[in-house]
């Protein structure tokens, strides 16, 4: 038997302690977000645990232990001389500023949802069956929407749509847009707000998501030019779209090739399909050793692959499919032009044209 190297073992144990510290922080961070503890420190300034508890009508002993946990996490600042806790500007961007590109409330909710759904995915390991989207946890679709929203707020109108050839002028003049796999509608509504002369059609196969999307549209006062409907991607009947968008969902589909073939029939001859997918290299080795792929592979194991396997065909591309494989899916469906229009730290944006 090969004996473990002590230095390698100690380094691995140290890494595991850091990882477990992050895992243990999930429920305490969620409590801080739900009860307004982070927001109070951001909006009302530094406070002792007693003052913070009084602000929010909470029990001081719980607040004191919570605050010390967040200080130990590095999520709050602690001043020993005054016993005050505070949020730095950088910490506030993660825990309090909802439109910050790195606001992570949704990430902590998503981690909790994956734990909640563990037993169903575990059974899939034994049977090979999938787990239907929305069935693995109480509000997985809410957590996914919240997780992606900050990136969409800061990227869709500012970087992703402008990267498509000639598309922004069409949207400004008045285009017809389909947002397929729209979830709770954040992406659709952001585009609608940025381009008030265009019409938007959001489609998703998950009825509770569409119900939330319609409620969001009504709250934003855009229902007259934004329509949401429950539909499988391959069953969409509306045609003549200037633009089709898919945000972080093509790899979740059971039949992405059949979906791609159908998208081609829905576009105008000079239309474009924008596919936003998790960023990944083309070989598994390219995706080892970086924190983004680590997140995506784990999420893909618990969400993306089970979701695809629960549908017809069940190709299960996974969240780290890579540009080469995705491009092959698109070209096989009849798209003659496929290019990476732009990218960011978490996503790549492909543009496909017939």
């Amino acid at each position: 038997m090969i004996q473990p190297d002590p230095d390698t073992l100690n380094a691995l144990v140290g890494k595991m302690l850091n990882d477990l510290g992050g895992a243990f922080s999930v429920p305490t961070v969620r409590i801080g977000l739900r009860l307004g503890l982070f927001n109070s420190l951001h909006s009302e300034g530094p406070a002792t645990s007693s003052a913070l508890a009084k602000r929010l009508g909470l029990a001081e002993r719980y607040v004191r232990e919570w605050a010390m946990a967040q200080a130990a996490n590095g999520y709050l600042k602690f001043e020993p001389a005054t016993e005050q806790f505070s949020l730095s500007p950088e910490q506030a961007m993660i825990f309090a500023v909802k439109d910050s590109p790195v606001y992570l409330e949704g990430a902590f909710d998503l981690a909790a949802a994956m734990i909640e759904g563990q037993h169903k995915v575990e059974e899939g390991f034994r049977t090979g069956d999938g787990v239907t989207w929305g069935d693995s946890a109480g509000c997985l679709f809410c957590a996914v929407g919240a997780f992606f929203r900050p990136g969409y707020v800061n990227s869709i109108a500012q970087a992703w749509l402008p990267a498509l050839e000639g598309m922004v002028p069409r949207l400004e003049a008045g285009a017809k847009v389909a947002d397929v796999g729209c979830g709770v509608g954040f992406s659709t509504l952001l585009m609608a707000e940025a381009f008030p002369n265009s019409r938007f059609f959001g489609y998703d196969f998950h009825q509770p998501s569409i119900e939330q999307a319609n409620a969001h549209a009504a709250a934003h006062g855009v229902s007259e030019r934004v329509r949401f409907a429950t539909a499988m991607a391959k069953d969409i009947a509306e045609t003549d779209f200037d633009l089709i968008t898919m945000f972080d969902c093509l790899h979740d589909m059971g039949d992405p090739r059949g979906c791609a073939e159908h998208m081609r029939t829905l576009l105008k001859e000079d239309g474009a399909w924008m596919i936003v997918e998790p960023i990944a290299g083309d070989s598994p080795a390219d995706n080892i050793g970086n924190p983004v792929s680590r997140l995506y592979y784990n999420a893909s194991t618990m969400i993306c692959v089970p979701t695809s396997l629960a549908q017809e065909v069940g190709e299960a591309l996974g969240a780290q499919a890579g540009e080469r494989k995705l491009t092959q899916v698109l070209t096989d469906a009849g798209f003659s032009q496929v290019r990476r229009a732009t990218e960011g730290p978490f996503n790549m944006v492909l543009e496909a044209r017939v």
Side-chain angles (χ1 to χ4, degrees):
M1 177 179 175
I2 299 175
Q3 294 299 312
D5 176 75
D7 292 337
T8 302
L9 178 59
N10 286 336
L12 182 58
V13 170
K15 171 180 166 49
M16 292 305 303
L17 288 173
N18 281 326
D19 290 353
L20 287 170
F24 283 19
S25 76
V26 169
T28 63
V29 167
R30 294 180 78 217
I31 286 171
L33 291 163
R34 288 169 181 254
L35 296 184
L37 289 154
F38 288 111
N39 281 337
S40 178
L41 290 172
H42 176 57
S43 62
E44 300 179 74
T48 63
S49 60
S50 178
L52 184 57
K54 187 175 181 180
R55 283 179 188 173
L56 298 169
L58 301 174
E60 188 277 335
R61 186 64 187 90
Y62 276 105
V63 172
R64 187 193 338 157
E65 205 73 0
W66 173 87
M68 287 304 303
Q70 304 322 307
N73 285 336
Y75 301 162
L76 290 183
K77 296 175 68 177
F78 175 61
E79 177 51 59
T82 61
E83 295 190 346
Q84 285 193 324
F85 299 89
S86 62
L87 272 176
S88 70
E90 297 79 14
Q91 290 165 337
M93 287 185 70
I94 294 171
F95 297 110
V97 182
K98 293 184 181 294
D99 285 347
S100 156
V102 291
Y103 182 68
L104 291 179
E105 179 176 7
F108 286 90
D109 286 345
L110 189 54
M114 287 192 284
I115 294 294
E116 183 182 341
Q118 176 187 330
H119 67 288
K120 293 185 178 182
V121 176
E122 185 177 326
E123 184 61 21
F125 273 73
R126 297 187 177 97
T127 64
D129 294 337
V131 181
T132 302
W133 175 253
D135 283 356
S136 64
C139 200
L140 173 64
F141 67 95
C142 307
V144 169
F147 174 71
F148 284 119
R149 181 187 174 276
Y152 296 166
V153 166
N154 289 277
S155 299
I156 291 178
Q158 300 90 329
W160 295 348
L161 290 172
L164 304 182
E165 185 179 349
M167 188 52 64
V168 166
R170 291 175 70 167
L171 290 166
E172 290 173 341
K176 183 179 178 182
V177 181
D179 189 13
V180 179
C182 65
V184 297
F186 290 144
S187 53
T188 321
L189 294 172
L190 286 166
M191 291 189 289
E193 289 176 350
F195 301 101
N197 292 326
S198 291
R199 293 178 298 141
F200 296 85
F201 298 76
Y203 300 99
D204 200 280
F205 74 157
H206 186 240
Q207 178 63 32
S209 292
I210 290 298
E211 290 171 0
Q212 286 203 12
N214 277 315
H216 290 150
H220 284 76
V222 294
S223 297
E224 74 283 355
R225 58 188 182 84
V226 179
R227 190 184 79 193
F228 290 104
T230 305
M232 299 290 291
K234 294 194 296 183
D235 294 337
I236 296 170
E238 190 81 30
T239 60
D240 294 322
F241 290 105
D242 297 277
L243 173 67
I244 296 174
T245 60
M246 281 191 185
F247 295 94
D248 293 290
C249 65
L250 181 62
H251 66 272
D252 293 317
M253 295 185 178
D255 184 14
R257 298 173 191 276
C259 170
E261 291 174 359
H262 189 59
M263 293 304 105
R264 180 171 53 81
T265 70
L266 304 184
L267 277 173
K268 291 181 178 178
E269 188 174 325
D270 61 346
W273 179 15
M274 182 175 78
I275 306 102
V276 178
E277 281 285 302
I279 198 159
D282 286 321
S283 72
D286 295 333
N287 300 321
I288 301 298
N290 72 77
V292 174
S293 286
R294 181 186 182 192
L295 288 175
Y296 281 142
Y297 270 127
N298 281 285
S300 189
T301 303
M302 299 303 295
I303 301 171
C304 309
V305 167
T307 295
S308 179
L309 291 174
Q311 302 171 61
E312 62 171 342
V313 181
E315 182 162 347
L317 287 172
Q320 294 289 273
E323 182 178 0
R324 183 189 306 145
K325 184 178 291 186
L326 293 167
T327 298
Q328 190 64 56
V329 169
L330 301 175
T331 56
D332 286 350
F335 289 91
S336 60
Q337 305 173 55
V338 180
R339 70 180 183 99
R340 185 183 294 207
T342 189
E343 64 182 56
F346 301 106
N347 292 96
M348 57 180 154
V349 178
L350 305 181
E351 178 182 6
R353 294 179 182 264
V354 179

